[in-house]
């Protein structure tokens, strides 16, 4: 009887481990993920495109300061032409973001208001590069200032 209980317990552990591993692998970030966003009283679908990590020097004088940040671009999922354009212009978008980040100081990024202004500036600069649509938002998932 003890052997049967141990075998059943071992099977449950193996099945649980396999299910966890499958979920973990399946939930890895893909370039395009979909979330629901409420805008102007309507619920609409927003997708976002994960850009690679950025590591730039900040323009602080005196001591060298660095910014490490991960950025995602939020756009309307229903605009099927925008994702291919973002992927096509990824190098230009990254260059525009890098150039913008290099002009910032730690005091510009240390507050919520500063981050909001940075998001607005980045959206404006990236929208200038896009012809098939516009971004809804920019998301910062990792921010490290050193």
């Amino acid at each position: 009887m003890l052997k049967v209980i141990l075998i059943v317990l071992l099977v449950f552990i193996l099945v649980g481990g396999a299910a966890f591993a499958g979920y973990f692998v399946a939930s890895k970030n893909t370039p395009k993920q979909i979330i629901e966003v409420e805008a102007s009283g309507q619920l609409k679908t927003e997708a976002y495109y994960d850009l690679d990590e950025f590591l730039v020097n900040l323009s602080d004088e005196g001591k060298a300061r660095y910014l490490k940040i991960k950025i995602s671009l939020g756009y309307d999922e229903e605009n099927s032409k925008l994702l291919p354009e973002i992927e096509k212009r990824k190098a230009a978008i990254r260059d525009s973001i890098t150039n913008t980040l290099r002009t910032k100081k730690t005091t510009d990024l240390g507050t919520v208001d500063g981050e909001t202004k940075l998001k607005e500036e980045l959206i404006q600069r990236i929208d200038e590069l896009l012809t098939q649509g516009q971004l809804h938002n920019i998301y910062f998932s990792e921010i490290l200032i050193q």
Side-chain angles (χ1 to χ4, degrees):
M1 184 67 171
L2 183 60
K3 286 183 183 181
V4 172
I5 293 173
L6 287 176
I7 290 173
V8 170
L9 185 61
L10 182 61
V11 168
F12 280 123
I13 290 172
L14 288 175
V15 169
F20 175 75
Y23 175 77
F24 182 74
V25 170
S27 68
K28 289 215 178 220
N29 285 342
T30 58
K32 178 183 159 192
Q33 295 183 355
I34 300 167
I35 58 174
E36 298 290 326
V37 177
E38 187 173 338
S40 67
Q42 295 180 350
L43 196 63
K44 65 176 158 181
T45 305
E46 181 180 65
Y48 63 95
Y49 183 82
D50 293 331
L51 294 174
D52 299 327
E53 188 175 90
F54 292 84
L55 179 62
V56 297
N57 293 327
L58 294 174
S59 65
D60 287 334
E61 295 180 16
K63 188 177 180 184
R65 304 289 292 211
Y66 303 97
L67 171 67
K68 178 180 169 184
I69 190 168
K70 188 167 182 179
I71 298 175
S72 298
L73 308 177
Y75 62 95
D76 184 7
E77 184 205 14
E78 294 178 9
N79 185 348
S80 61
K81 295 180 181 179
L82 190 55
L83 178 60
E85 183 179 20
I86 290 173
E87 290 174 340
K88 179 181 175 184
R89 298 180 188 269
K90 183 177 179 180
I93 291 170
R94 285 187 54 81
D95 181 62
S96 179
I97 291 171
T98 301
N99 290 336
T100 303
L101 294 175
R102 285 185 187 154
T103 65
K104 302 300 175 191
K105 297 181 179 183
T106 54
T107 55
D108 298 334
L109 304 171
T111 64
V112 174
D113 188 44
E115 287 183 21
T116 303
K117 287 180 183 177
L118 176 61
K119 286 181 181 187
E120 291 170 0
E121 183 178 354
L122 290 175
I123 288 172
Q124 179 185 1
R125 287 180 148 241
I126 294 169
D127 280 346
E128 292 173 359
L129 300 171
L130 301 174
T131 60
Q132 300 297 322
Q134 296 182 335
L135 299 179
H136 286 196
N137 204 347
I138 288 187
Y139 302 97
F140 299 148
S141 56
E142 295 178 20
I143 300 176
L144 176 65
I145 300 173
Q146 187 173 9

